[in-house]
Amino acid sequence: MEDLETEAEPLDEEPGSGLEVASRMLPTRILLLPVTDRPFFPAQTMPVVMEESPWLETVHRVGQSPHHLVGLLMADTEDSTAAGPGDFFETGTVVRIHHPTRGQDKIQFIAEGVRRFRVERWITREPPYEVEVSYPSDTPALDQTDEIKAYAVAIINSLKELMPLNPLYNEELKFFLNRFSPNEPSPLSDFAAALTTADRESLQDILGTVDLRQRMEKVLVLVKKEVEVAQLQAQIHQQVEERMSEQQRQFFLKEQLKEIQKELGIAKDDRTADIERFQARLEGLTIPEEAQNRIDEEIQKMQVLESGSPEYSVTRNYLDWITSLPWGVHSEDHLDIPRARKVLDRDHDGLEDVKRRIIEFLAVGATRGEIGGSILLLVGPPGVGKTSIGRSVAEAVGREFYRFSVGGMRDEAEIKGHRRTYVGAMPGKFIQAVKDVGTANPVIMLDEVDKIGMSFQGDPASALLEVLDPEQNSDFLDHYLDVRFDLSRSLFICTANQLDTIPSALLDRMEVIHLAGYITEEKMAIARHHLWPRQVERAGLKRGQLPLTDAALRHLIDGYARESGVRNLEKQLGRLVRKAAVDLLEGTEAPIRLNQKQIEAYLGKPPFQRERPLAGVGVVTGLAWTAMGGTTLSVEATRVHTQQRGFKLTGQLGEVMQESASIAHSYISSHLDEYRGDPEFFDESFIHLHVPEGATPKDGPSAGVTMATALLSLARDQAPVRPLAMTGELTLSGHVYPVGGIREKVIAAKRAKITEIILPEGNRRDFEELPDHVREGITVHFAERYRDIMPLVFGERPRRRRSDR
């Protein structure tokens, strides 16, 4: 007992010659120790670890016995300390204990398997367990000798297959060969079973099978399964190795290369390489002192920070941005006016007034020696070529071009950048623009400035003020960089569909150029020179396969694409090409002539019919401006009844048009005698004034004279003597004020085949500035007061006023 008190101390010495005699005469009464994971076989020799309690007394008694033998019996329980007589199986293995030690509440010893035993009777039913046992004989019968040899050979061959698949089995084989011969079938079968990873029930079944032939048959099945499992594991392992070997090989080679380069002094770590790359970017740049000081501070910070810290990553990203900017790098302007005019004419048909304004702008830059200080704002309906004009301007002056849309932008940080304290912070769009193009004086286009938003995150329109103001953008401060950057030499071109939604402070900084849209002749030229060749080329066809006549093209424009722009026209041309391509692939012979009949076969009946202005008493045609261009607007007036005085408006009119209608009603009512009408006509008349197409909201100060003329026609019971259209705003004193959108309105009149129009005198200059091809075929009358309109509409002059007599 003294021997087990200290850790790792032997219980007893190896037995002498008396033990040899005892080993040949196995005892019929032995002590038991439980095993729970898997049974112990006679052919095994391996360490066994037991709980100190309650098996310490059992090990002591075994150590004091002359033979040092104990029975290892499988217990059907997970906890060996709670194993009772009812938990043990019947068959186990007698083992000899070597070098028992204790420590950390555990007992460990080397167990050397001796022989099977079967429990016959329990002598004690409390630990230490003592049982009476028998030793069954496994000697085969004489008639089974050849069969046993065959099974032995089969097991040995299976073990040969198993050994290369798992090197651990080789050590087990060495222990076996030190004790037994391969020609001993019983130990061989027990050894083979012990090598497998079968479950404990299967192994216990083999341990309990005494008949050698049956046992070898079961062992052979287990070993075959083990070979299959080992082969599958080896195959999976090989597949994984193949996938990873190349990647690992490259990784190790790179690491070795780094170490070799470090030893030779020709390599640097990532931090040093990054810093040298940032410094190399700055060579040849003209960097302001403020920016250079900030860069030096950030590089010093980067040198002392841990490469794994978040601050290191933030600093590295900042240096990456600030050193990538084109400090002092400017592209040379090509201020060649003839070349610029050639580029604009090549890319755009029509828009002569717009191209003239741009040439004038470039000419001023040529005299100054540089372009800058002005912001162009291109205003016009969708599809008239605002964005493409900006690209042409950039090509004409030889600058880089960068475009982004501010439509729907709600965060001012997209203009002026995020603070570096935010996760994922980035500079604003303008700093990104100069970084991407590589020069500090690009042409930057801001699309859809009239649709810029505002939210709790700030007002982007206000943030644009600093960028677009020539007096401020020389010291533009981006929140991310937190240093000044000069944007004064950049050329900013903005686009918008209308001016109403642009903040006045922002609009004040821009030079507005209106793009009114195209007339039919201009659309035909654009389609011939640009749109139709592009659509045919995209479809992989030749122009000779799809001849398009001028009459068919005009029909397509008037009936399917009447908008001011050409975007819808290009879509319709694309539909024609696609449908024609289908016919060609299905066997239709080329060429397919696209005439008016063929166009309607492909596209259906035209959605737009010829605008036929309404005519009659109380009906007058006006001219209106919309975001999609100009249009004609018929105004109708009728007397509902004569029971009481009243005035009703319909047609979804906005507040401005409602005020214009009230002014027109009041003015005509008070001047009926002057305009040769019944002075009492409106006294007891309920008048209804309607503007057709009521589903479309309409507003704007340009329909006053049209409404007044419709009311006067009703009061005089006389229709206009000839077809004409008019526009202008009326005051209570009878003055006709000028209005906007003259080009669009003139184009709308020509589209409706109206050749005579009335405009305010204040718009005479606007009309005279229109291109000759727009004014051609139009007779214009200019009116300063409403008295000037009456003789044009009704063919007689108003009566002289008392003040005129």
Side-chain angles (χ1 to χ4, degrees):
M1 293 292 294
E2 298 295 340
D3 300 334
L4 287 174
E5 294 301 324
T6 59
E7 183 176 348
E9 184 178 350
L11 281 173
D12 203 351
E13 300 295 331
E14 284 288 346
S17 58
L19 181 61
E20 296 295 328
V21 176
S23 66
R24 295 190 184 96
M25 299 178 62
L26 297 175
T28 58
R29 298 175 62 175
I30 61 173
L31 296 172
L32 291 184
L33 287 175
V35 289
T36 57
D37 294 335
R38 52 191 287 141
F40 199 94
F41 285 90
Q44 286 185 281
T45 299
M46 60 183 297
V48 176
V49 179
M50 308 288 296
E51 294 291 338
E52 185 175 288
S53 174
W55 311 116
L56 179 61
E57 179 63 25
T58 303
V59 175
H60 268 299
R61 290 179 57 179
V62 172
Q64 294 172 357
S65 67
H67 44 68
H68 290 201
L69 297 177
V70 68
L72 291 183
L73 192 59
M74 182 75 179
D76 188 12
T77 179
E78 297 296 331
D79 185 9
S80 62
T81 60
D87 298 323
F88 287 92
F89 289 89
E90 291 185 355
T91 305
T93 300
V94 173
V95 300
R96 179 174 290 109
I97 290 181
H98 298 279
H99 306 295
T101 58
R102 59 179 293 198
Q104 298 181 356
D105 298 329
K106 302 285 185 182
I107 303 173
Q108 181 175 344
F109 54 86
I110 304 297
E112 177 188 1
V114 178
R115 191 169 177 180
R116 279 177 178 74
F117 71 86
R118 180 178 288 117
V119 177
E120 299 295 342
R121 184 171 65 88
W122 285 81
I123 299 175
T124 61
R125 307 189 70 85
E126 296 290 339
Y129 294 123
E130 186 175 4
V131 294
E132 185 177 317
V133 299
S134 62
Y135 300 97
S137 174
D138 55 3
T139 303
L142 293 177
D143 58 348
Q144 294 181 340
T145 303
D146 294 338
E147 192 175 0
I148 293 298
K149 289 181 179 180
Y151 273 113
V153 171
I155 292 175
I156 291 174
N157 290 335
S158 298
L159 292 177
K160 289 180 179 180
E161 296 181 38
L162 192 61
M163 292 301 169
L165 299 176
N166 192 339
L168 296 177
Y169 294 151
N170 294 328
E171 296 298 325
E172 298 280 349
L173 181 61
K174 290 180 182 179
F175 283 115
F176 174 75
L177 295 177
N178 287 336
R179 299 182 57 211
F180 302 100
S181 169
N183 297 323
E184 298 181 63
S186 181
L188 177 64
S189 61
D190 290 342
F191 168 72
L195 281 183
T196 66
T197 57
D199 58 89
R200 64 180 186 175
E201 286 77 12
S202 299
L203 295 177
Q204 181 62 40
D205 179 47
I206 291 176
L207 182 63
T209 303
V210 178
D211 183 80
L212 186 55
R213 190 196 65 79
Q214 294 180 5
R215 190 197 321 161
M216 297 183 77
E217 181 180 359
K218 295 179 180 180
V219 169
L220 183 60
V221 172
L222 286 184
V223 175
K224 287 291 186 182
K225 289 182 180 179
E226 192 71 19
V227 171
E228 293 177 0
V229 172
Q231 289 175 342
L232 182 58
Q233 290 177 343
Q235 182 180 356
I236 295 174
H237 180 73
Q238 182 180 0
Q239 292 174 351
V240 174
E241 285 291 330
E242 289 176 355
R243 294 175 186 173
M244 299 184 60
S245 59
E246 183 63 24
Q247 182 178 355
Q248 291 177 342
R249 177 174 173 273
Q250 293 179 0
F251 173 76
F252 288 127
L253 288 176
K254 289 179 181 178
E255 292 299 318
Q256 291 174 358
L257 180 61
K258 286 182 181 179
E259 293 299 325
I260 293 173
Q261 290 175 336
K262 286 182 181 179
E263 291 294 330
L264 296 177
I266 60 176
K268 309 171 183 66
D269 58 14
D270 293 339
R271 185 203 309 267
T272 305
D274 285 340
I275 292 176
E276 291 188 356
R277 184 173 72 254
F278 296 149
Q279 292 173 337
R281 291 178 181 175
L282 303 177
E283 295 179 1
L285 300 180
T286 305
I287 304 176
E289 182 179 358
E290 177 191 8
Q292 186 63 57
N293 293 337
R294 176 60 59 85
I295 293 172
D296 294 339
E297 292 174 2
E298 295 296 327
I299 288 178
Q300 293 176 2
K301 182 192 300 184
M302 186 176 174
Q303 290 174 336
V304 300
L305 288 172
E306 291 292 334
S307 58
S309 67
E311 183 67 19
Y312 178 87
S313 176
V314 171
T315 303
R316 183 187 179 281
N317 290 340
Y318 177 81
L319 285 171
D320 188 31
W321 269 104
I322 198 171
T323 58
S324 298
L325 297 179
W327 298 96
V329 178
H330 300 88
S331 58
E332 184 179 355
D333 291 336
H334 302 298
L335 300 177
D336 185 352
I337 300 303
R339 176 181 178 274
R341 181 179 282 110
K342 183 178 179 180
V343 171
L344 292 173
D345 290 338
R346 180 200 67 193
D347 295 341
H348 299 86
D349 288 287
L351 302 179
E352 297 301 329
D353 53 340
V354 177
K355 290 188 284 188
R356 184 177 65 252
R357 290 282 302 276
I358 293 175
I359 291 297
E360 293 171 356
F361 175 78
L362 298 179
V364 173
T367 58
R368 293 175 51 194
E370 65 175 0
I371 298 176
S374 296
I375 297 94
L376 299 181
L377 174 61
L378 305 178
V379 182
V384 295
K386 299 184 293 295
T387 302
S388 59
I389 285 179
R391 195 180 300 274
S392 297
V393 170
E395 183 179 351
V397 299
R399 291 192 180 187
E400 298 293 333
F401 180 77
Y402 187 91
R403 172 198 167 275
F404 67 93
S405 176
V406 296
M409 185 180 291
R410 304 172 65 86
D411 188 357
E412 67 174 9
E414 295 191 46
I415 301 295
K416 304 189 69 174
H418 302 82
R419 302 287 183 183
R420 289 174 60 190
T421 53
Y422 294 110
V423 176
M426 292 182 63
K429 288 289 187 181
F430 293 93
I431 296 299
Q432 294 180 38
V434 296
K435 174 182 178 293
D436 289 348
V437 301
T439 62
N441 62 336
V443 175
I444 300 178
M445 170 162 279
L446 287 74
D447 260 340
E448 313 294 349
V449 294
D450 57 328
K451 300 177 181 63
I452 196 167
M454 182 173 64
S455 70
F456 67 93
Q457 295 170 309
D459 183 5
S462 299
L464 281 176
L465 296 178
E466 179 184 356
V467 182
L468 300 181
D469 191 341
E471 303 298 327
Q472 300 183 46
N473 58 16
S474 59
D475 292 324
F476 173 66
L477 181 64
D478 185 272
H479 290 159
Y480 181 82
L481 295 181
D482 204 23
V483 293
R484 306 284 177 176
F485 191 89
D486 185 6
L487 293 175
S488 61
R489 298 183 64 180
S490 299
L491 176 58
F492 299 100
I493 301 178
C494 305
T495 69
N497 296 130
Q498 56 189 14
L499 299 177
D500 301 345
T501 57
I502 301 177
S504 58
L506 184 60
L507 185 62
D508 184 58
R509 288 163 168 79
M510 301 179 182
E511 183 175 348
V512 180
I513 299 178
H514 289 276
L515 286 78
Y518 304 102
I519 61 176
T520 301
E521 287 73 15
E522 292 174 336
K523 286 186 176 182
M524 291 184 66
I526 294 171
R528 284 292 182 197
H529 299 156
H530 303 283
L531 306 182
W532 181 245
R534 184 162 61 211
Q535 290 296 332
V536 173
E537 181 182 356
R538 286 178 180 175
L541 302 176
K542 297 180 180 178
R543 297 182 66 178
Q545 294 177 284
L546 294 175
L548 180 63
T549 64
D550 288 343
L553 182 56
R554 182 180 294 273
H555 177 64
L556 179 68
I557 293 172
D558 290 339
Y560 299 87
R562 195 175 287 179
E563 296 82 3
S564 298
V566 294
R567 186 170 294 142
N568 186 47
L569 175 59
E570 185 172 15
K571 292 179 182 177
Q572 299 302 330
L573 292 172
R575 290 180 62 192
L576 288 178
V577 171
R578 292 193 298 271
K579 291 180 180 296
V582 172
D583 287 349
L584 290 173
L585 292 177
E586 291 180 347
T588 303
E589 293 185 4
I592 298 178
R593 299 190 178 278
L594 297 177
N595 51 31
Q596 180 175 339
K597 182 179 179 181
Q598 189 65 39
I599 286 177
E600 292 189 3
Y602 279 157
L603 303 182
K605 292 296 181 182
F608 296 106
Q609 302 298 326
R610 179 181 175 182
E611 294 182 7
R612 299 182 183 275
L614 302 177
V617 175
V619 180
V620 179
T621 301
L623 297 173
W625 178 93
T626 68
M628 298 296 292
T631 184
T632 57
L633 201 67
S634 295
V635 177
E636 300 174 313
T638 186
R639 180 163 63 175
V640 180
H641 56 77
T642 59
Q643 298 177 3
Q644 61 180 2
R645 180 184 178 92
F647 189 59
K648 179 180 180 180
L649 292 172
T650 56
Q652 274 214 52
L653 306 182
E655 292 183 3
V656 176
M657 288 193 71
Q658 291 180 24
E659 291 179 358
S660 297
S662 297
I663 293 172
H665 183 249
S666 298
Y667 176 78
I668 296 299
S669 298
S670 60
H671 293 78
L672 269 179
D673 181 60
E674 179 183 347
Y675 294 123
R676 302 182 185 275
D678 181 5
E680 299 178 356
F681 179 81
F682 291 108
D683 292 346
E684 297 179 354
S685 299
F686 188 90
I687 305 300
H688 185 177
L689 186 70
H690 175 65
V691 181
E693 298 183 8
T696 304
K698 294 170 283 292
D699 199 12
S702 64
V705 296
T706 309
M707 294 178 176
T709 305
L711 293 172
L712 182 58
S713 171
L714 178 65
R716 288 171 54 94
D717 194 23
Q718 179 185 0
V721 296
R722 58 184 180 272
L724 51 76
M726 63 187 70
T727 184
E729 184 61 12
L730 183 66
T731 68
L732 283 174
S733 59
H735 288 84
V736 179
Y737 277 7
V739 293
I742 296 301
R743 178 188 172 108
E744 290 90 340
K745 293 174 180 178
V746 173
I747 292 175
K750 295 189 68 174
R751 187 186 301 123
K753 309 299 182 183
I754 297 175
T755 60
E756 192 171 357
I757 61 176
I758 299 174
L759 299 178
E761 179 64 34
N763 290 119
R764 182 185 293 271
R765 178 183 175 186
D766 297 326
F767 179 79
E768 292 176 349
E769 290 180 350
L770 294 179
D772 293 339
H773 65 274
V774 175
R775 295 185 296 167
E776 183 180 357
I778 295 291
T779 301
V780 180
H781 305 281
F782 296 98
E784 187 174 1
R785 300 180 63 87
Y786 189 77
R787 292 173 54 87
D788 304 329
I789 296 176
M790 181 184 171
L792 300 172
V793 178
F794 301 107
E796 60 177 322
R797 302 188 64 81
R799 292 190 178 97
R800 294 178 63 185
R801 296 170 296 180
R802 292 181 180 179
S803 59
D804 297 335
R805 294 174 183 173

